[in-house]
């Protein structure tokens, strides 16, 4: 929810926002170029925020070039509130249990995209006030969103209604229009940040530009299928051979699970120490992993196609029944970071069309 | 430490008694930690072995007076194999009780067929005990139980007790009979065929390997049982027990949270799908 309406300022304002967040003792996290990839990292100075680069994303391909607009990398906010490895508790030989002290630092995310904001809302539905670790780490978070003026080739946020413009649940959202910056506040913190900048209420011509850019972005970020009836249709086609055909390219590496900003499955490992202490450690797991549905007496999804089918149906069908929302936000990461370039959009269409090479 | 509704931190408790059942099955009575409600028939607990891991085990008996809860376990996986070393007085971690159990309240004045395979009998044992306690509240009780060999029949020392419950039948079968074995051989599904009850007045509770449950369910449907009279206790990989880790999903259901006991009508869209 916008609480301010739209204002216009200058792109220099982003640095002022950064400085104010630092002054308010926030750890500021944004996309930074590391090893030729955009990575979500703590930013010590504003200069570290990726600028002048563009991430080119295609099925199975990711590289950076000089450009005006950067979207995202393999990291999402999931890493921060639901880390890839997390010690649940440590236990002494005498059974004294202690939970590590998860300090909830004030974290501000700067320049994350609307799809990732919605992914966080999805994770909140799954884990907030349910999982004590997530709930603890999730407190004191500020969200400064950069609306997406140039979706990439694997993006389909418009189809999933998660972007390219953030609609609610942000502190501040901004949109770059050449050197102009369109801003709207969504909270008291957002209003406070906005009041530092030199802004004017949006004028007609800027508003038209803003609308045009957002409309064009929206037209680009489409998957080629519609959401209406998708959950039911996928389920009715649960026996489709398309799953088998698509999974023929799948390696079962679970990259898609790892880069997905909403995948929440975990495994628990026991780490005994030489001194009789032991840790229980939570690690990310994914439904494409071979052991995911394995039990001591057998295996519920030993075939890769069945695991791939579960992934697709969980995102678009089961998730709705479980949490009242889609599990997919259309960020396209699972397409980009799939080593063999399996395109989720094409998989869904293939199942819906039912055209499979026999 | 705080305990959220979906806490993954076990409570410390003690094993009060161990009973050897078969060559690779034992029953562990565990004292219920303070403030924990008594498990209902069909529910399960997560038991933690220090430094080794945690496993979901169904409750096979509840002693309300001493607040001891029985868990009958086959030594099958990496964690349960270490159970073989546990003895009376040992400490284990406990979380639970979890899940939705058997709908015994529905069976009032109705007949009940219990169909169990292998390690599927222990989760049904509290149902047998409940019926024995309040015999007049329920109709006919038929227990069908199949195991791999006669040696694998769990709780054989109390079969006489089951048979002495009024209006109760116990039918046993084994896949691989021994020389001394005089009873039925073959899969437990075969016993369903000989059951003679009015399906409109009868419930069926099924627990065992998935293959066996599918066959038994098909047989019950053939006999005219409706999908709201058949209840199944499903098995899946479970790492958390509280619907968070995702492993136990069957279609949209978290077996640990929405089950493990489901009426067939509730899951019939998914139950028959290969590798759902």
């Amino acid at each position: 929810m916008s609480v301010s309406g739209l204002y216009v300022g200058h792109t220099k304002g982003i640095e002022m926002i950064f400085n104010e967040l630092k002054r308010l003792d926030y750890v500021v996290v944004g996309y930074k170029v590391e090893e030729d990839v955009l990575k979500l990292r703590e930013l010590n100075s504003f200069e570290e925020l990726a600028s002048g680069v563009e991430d080119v994303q295609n099925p199975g391909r990711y590289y950076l070039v000089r450009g005006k607009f950067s979207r995202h990398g393999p990291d999402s906010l999931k890493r921060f509130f639901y880390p890839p490895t997390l010690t649940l508790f440590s236990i002494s030989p005498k059974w004294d249990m202690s939970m590590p002290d998860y300090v909830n630092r004030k974290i501000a995310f700067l320049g994350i995209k609307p799809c990732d904001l919605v992914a966080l809302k999805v994770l909140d539905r799954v884990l907030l006030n349910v999982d004590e670790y997530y709930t603890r780490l999730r407190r004191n978070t500020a969200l400064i969103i950069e609306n997406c003026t140039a979706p990439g080739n694997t993006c389909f946020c418009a189809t999933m209604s998660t972007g390219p413009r953030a609609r609610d649940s942000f502190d501040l959202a901004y949109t770059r229009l050449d050197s102009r910056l369109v801003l709207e506040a969504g909270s008291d913190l957002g209003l406070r940040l906005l009041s530092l900048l030199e802004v004017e209420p949006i004028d007609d011509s800027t508003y038209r530009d803003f609308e045009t850019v957002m409309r064009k972005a929206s037209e680009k970020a489409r998957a080629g299928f519609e959401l209406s009836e998708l959950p039911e249709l996928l389920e009715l086609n649960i026996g489709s051979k398309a799953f088998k055909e698509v999974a023929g390219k799948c390696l079962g590496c679970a990259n898609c699970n790892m880069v997905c900003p909403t995948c929440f499955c975990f495994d628990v490992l026991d780490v005994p120490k030489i001194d009789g202490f032991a840790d229980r450690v939570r690690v990310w797991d994914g439904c494409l992993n071979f052991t995911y549905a394995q039990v001591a007496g057998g295996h519920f999804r030993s075939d890769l196609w069945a695991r791939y089918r579960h992934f697709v149906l969980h995102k678009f069908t089961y998730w709705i029944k479980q949490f009242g929302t889609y599990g997919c936000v259309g960020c396209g990461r699972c397409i980009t970071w799939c080593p063999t370039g399996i395109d989720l959009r094409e998989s869904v269409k293939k199942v819906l069309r039912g055209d499979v090479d026999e | 430490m705080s305990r959220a509704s979906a806490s993954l931190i076990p409570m410390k408790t003690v094993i009060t008694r161990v009973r050897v059942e078969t060559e690779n099955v034992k029953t562990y009575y565990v004292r219920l930690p303070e403030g924990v409600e008594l498990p209902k028939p069909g529910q399960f607990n997560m038991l933690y072995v220090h430094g080794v891991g945690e496993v979901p085990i169904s409750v096979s008996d509840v002693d309300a007076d001493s607040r001891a809860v029985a868990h009958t376990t086959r030594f099958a996986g990496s964690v349960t194999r270490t159970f073989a070393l546990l003895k009376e007085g040992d400490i284990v971690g406990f979380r639970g009780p979890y899940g939705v159990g058997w709908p015994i309240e529905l069976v009032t004045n109705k007949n009940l067929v219990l169909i169990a395979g292998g390690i599927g009998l222990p989760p049904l044992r509290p149902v047998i005990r409940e019926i024995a306690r309040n015999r007049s509240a329920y109709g006919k009780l038929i227990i069908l139980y199949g195991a791999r060999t006669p040696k694998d029949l769990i709780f054989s020392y109390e079969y006489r007790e089951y048979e002495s419950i009024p209006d109760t039948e116990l039918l046993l079968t084994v896949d691989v009979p021994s020389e001394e074995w005089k009873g039925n051989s073959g899969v437990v599904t075969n016993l369903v065929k000989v059951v003679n009850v009015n399906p409109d007045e009868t419930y069926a509770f099924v627990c065992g390997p998935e293959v066996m449950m599918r066959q038994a369910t098909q047989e019950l449907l053939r006999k005219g049982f409706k999908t709201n009279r058949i209840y199944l206790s499903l098995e899946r990989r479970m790492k958390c027990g509280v619907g968070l880790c995702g492993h136990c999903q069957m279609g949209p259901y978290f077996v640990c949270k929405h089950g493990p006991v489901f009426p067939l009508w509730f899951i019939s869209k998914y139950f028959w799908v290969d590798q759902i």
Side-chain angles (χ1 to χ4, degrees):
Chain A
M1 267 297 295
S2 178
V3 296
S4 64
L6 294 169
Y7 281 77
V8 188
H10 192 280
T11 45
K12 284 189 303 212
I14 301 171
E15 184 167 4
M16 295 168 78
I17 293 167
F18 174 90
N19 292 334
E20 180 64 7
L21 290 168
K22 287 297 251 187
R23 213 183 58 75
L24 294 171
D25 284 333
Y26 279 98
V27 170
V28 182
V29 172
Y31 279 110
K32 172 178 174 180
V33 178
E34 255 184 30
E35 299 166 321
D36 294 331
V37 171
L38 292 171
K39 294 193 178 171
L40 262 189
R41 293 288 180 266
E42 184 176 336
L43 306 171
N44 297 311
S45 70
F46 182 69
E47 287 65 43
E48 289 183 346
L49 186 69
S51 105
V53 293
E54 187 191 341
D55 45 300
V56 178
Q57 300 198 36
N58 285 307
R61 306 275 292 151
Y62 182 100
Y63 56 92
L64 299 182
V65 295
R66 279 176 203 276
K68 283 189 182 156
F69 186 79
S70 52
R71 298 167 200 96
H72 54 50
D75 302 329
S76 63
L77 278 64
K78 178 168 87 166
R79 291 188 72 81
F80 292 84
F81 306 122
Y82 185 64
T85 60
L86 174 145
T87 302
L88 296 169
F89 62 88
S90 297
I91 184 162
S92 78
K94 293 196 166 144
W95 279 79
D96 296 315
M97 284 178 259
S98 60
M99 198 204 284
D101 189 16
Y102 291 106
V103 188
N104 59 78
R105 306 181 300 171
K106 286 169 68 176
I107 300 189
F109 291 90
L110 178 64
I112 57 158
K113 302 301 172 290
C115 56
D116 283 346
L117 169 67
V118 177
L120 187 64
K121 285 169 64 182
V122 171
L123 273 186
D124 281 352
R125 284 211 195 192
V126 178
L127 297 165
L128 193 62
N129 299 325
V130 177
D131 179 60
E132 48 202 308
Y133 304 89
Y134 180 89
T135 306
R136 204 172 282 220
L137 292 168
R138 176 71 176 84
R139 287 180 200 135
N140 296 327
T141 309
L143 300 162
I144 318 298
I145 310 299
E146 178 170 72
N147 286 330
C148 210
T149 53
N153 299 330
T154 57
C155 295
F156 56 105
C157 61
T159 295
M160 300 311 297
S161 303
T162 58
R165 180 183 171 185
R167 293 288 170 181
D168 57 52
S169 312
F170 52 80
D171 290 292
L172 186 74
Y174 64 83
T175 313
R176 294 170 191 264
L177 296 177
D178 45 63
S179 63
R180 290 168 299 171
L181 199 64
V182 175
L183 297 124
E184 58 182 325
S187 73
D188 289 350
L189 174 67
L191 285 172
R192 178 175 177 164
L193 294 170
L194 201 51
S195 65
L196 296 172
L197 312 178
E198 287 176 31
V199 291
E200 299 284 338
I202 198 160
D203 54 280
D204 264 3
S205 87
T206 308
Y207 184 72
R208 275 198 298 274
D209 291 350
F210 172 69
E211 281 286 280
T212 306
V213 166
M214 281 294 120
R215 194 187 63 247
K216 284 189 173 155
S218 198
E219 283 162 7
K220 175 150 197 225
R222 296 209 162 272
F225 58 76
E226 293 305 319
L227 280 194
S228 61
E229 294 159 18
L230 181 67
E232 291 79 10
L233 289 172
L234 280 177
E235 203 160 57
L236 288 168
N237 285 291
I238 205 162
S240 168
K241 289 195 176 71
F243 291 112
K244 290 185 185 174
E245 190 189 297
V246 173
K249 278 173 71 180
C250 178
L251 307 174
C253 73
N255 258 18
C256 48
N257 298 131
M258 301 298 119
V259 297
C260 176
T262 66
C263 267
F264 60 83
C265 289
F266 64 78
D267 205 355
V268 185
L269 308 176
D270 291 84
V271 186
K273 306 283 174 66
I274 197 143
D275 57 3
F277 281 74
D279 290 344
R280 291 215 90 207
V281 180
R282 177 161 92 182
V283 295
W284 287 353
D285 196 359
C287 52
L288 272 296
N289 282 330
F290 179 76
T291 55
Y292 182 80
Q294 193 176 23
V295 293
H299 203 308
F300 292 98
R301 275 185 227 109
S302 54
D303 287 340
L304 194 46
W305 60 263
R307 301 205 291 279
Y308 183 75
R309 177 180 67 186
H310 178 80
F311 175 71
V312 176
L313 267 95
H314 193 205
K315 292 296 169 196
F316 294 106
T317 303
Y318 305 155
W319 210 294
I320 296 215
K321 299 184 181 197
Q322 291 167 352
F323 306 108
T325 171
Y326 283 99
C328 173
V329 295
C331 72
R333 284 186 181 90
C334 61
I335 304 169
T336 299
W337 297 96
C338 174
T340 63
I342 296 175
D343 191 330
L344 182 62
R345 298 166 297 187
E346 298 309 314
S347 304
V348 169
K349 282 185 275 195
K350 205 174 264 253
V351 173
L352 295 181
R353 282 197 307 261
D355 58 342
V356 181
D357 303 335
E358 289 295 343
Chain B
M1 283 186 300
S2 69
R3 293 191 59 82
S5 61
S7 179
L8 300 170
I9 299 169
M11 289 171 272
K12 188 173 147 180
T13 188
V14 66
I15 294 175
T16 57
R17 187 153 65 95
V18 179
R19 178 160 195 163
V20 179
E21 303 290 357
T22 69
E23 192 188 353
N24 60 355
V25 175
K26 283 185 188 174
T27 296
Y28 301 87
Y29 281 84
V30 163
R31 183 165 307 130
L32 218 48
E34 210 136 313
V36 173
E37 63 194 72
L38 291 175
K40 298 180 193 72
Q43 286 192 306
F44 67 94
N45 298 311
M46 299 294 290
L47 296 185
Y48 167 72
V49 180
H50 192 297
V52 176
E54 201 177 37
V55 278
I57 311 282
S58 280
V59 171
S60 60
D61 190 22
V62 177
D63 183 343
D65 299 336
S66 67
R67 282 178 58 79
V69 178
H71 304 80
T72 303
T73 312
R74 177 188 287 158
F75 313 134
S78 56
V79 179
T80 50
R81 269 198 285 265
T82 66
F83 272 55
L85 309 170
L86 294 173
K87 49 196 191 303
E88 190 178 320
D90 283 350
I91 294 174
V92 288
F94 177 99
R95 291 193 295 125
Y98 292 133
V100 178
W102 302 107
I104 298 190
E105 67 288 353
L106 294 180
V107 187
T108 310
N109 299 325
K110 297 274 191 293
N111 310 315
L112 180 61
V113 181
L114 303 181
I115 307 169
I119 197 76
L121 182 63
L124 287 165
R125 189 213 224 168
V127 176
I128 301 172
R129 300 237 155 144
E130 159 61 23
I131 291 178
R133 258 196 308 273
N134 300 305
R135 190 64 198 96
S136 59
Y138 306 96
K140 194 176 174 60
L141 173 64
I142 299 170
I143 305 164
L144 313 178
Y145 178 44
R148 219 170 49 80
T149 73
K151 281 201 182 101
D152 294 308
L153 289 163
I154 300 173
F155 308 141
S156 50
Y157 49 85
E158 50 187 53
Y159 293 165
R160 285 237 168 106
E161 212 178 302
Y162 297 172
E163 286 173 315
S164 69
I165 305 170
D167 205 11
T168 299
E169 268 180 67
L170 171 69
L171 295 174
L172 303 169
T173 183
V174 293
D175 297 341
V176 188
S178 60
E179 299 230 335
E180 312 81 76
W181 182 252
K182 301 278 186 292
N184 300 300
S185 62
V187 290
V188 72
T189 324
N190 298 342
L191 299 180
V192 182
K193 293 174 186 161
V194 302
V195 167
N196 185 15
V197 285
N198 173 0
D200 294 333
E201 294 295 314
T202 310
Y203 279 86
F205 293 175
V206 189
C207 186
E210 193 156 290
V211 177
M212 170 236 130
M213 290 202 285
R214 276 176 212 243
Q215 292 172 345
T217 302
Q218 276 166 333
E219 207 50 57
L220 289 165
L221 292 170
R222 251 189 294 257
K223 285 196 98 69
F225 276 76
K226 301 282 188 296
T227 55
N228 62 351
R229 299 289 178 150
I230 302 170
Y231 281 78
L232 310 158
S233 177
L234 299 184
E235 177 210 14
R236 290 267 149 165
R237 181 186 177 97
M238 289 182 197
K239 286 296 238 187
C240 77
V242 289
L244 280 180
C245 81
H247 292 93
C248 70
Q249 282 172 99
M250 191 193 66
Y253 303 117
F254 293 110
V255 170
C256 69
K257 192 169 70 173
H258 302 117
V261 174
F262 292 95
L264 180 62
W265 69 265
F266 203 73
I267 52 169
S268 55
K269 195 195 263 184
Y270 311 99
F271 184 63
W272 307 108
V273 177
D274 178 32
Q275 299 189 59
I276 188 74

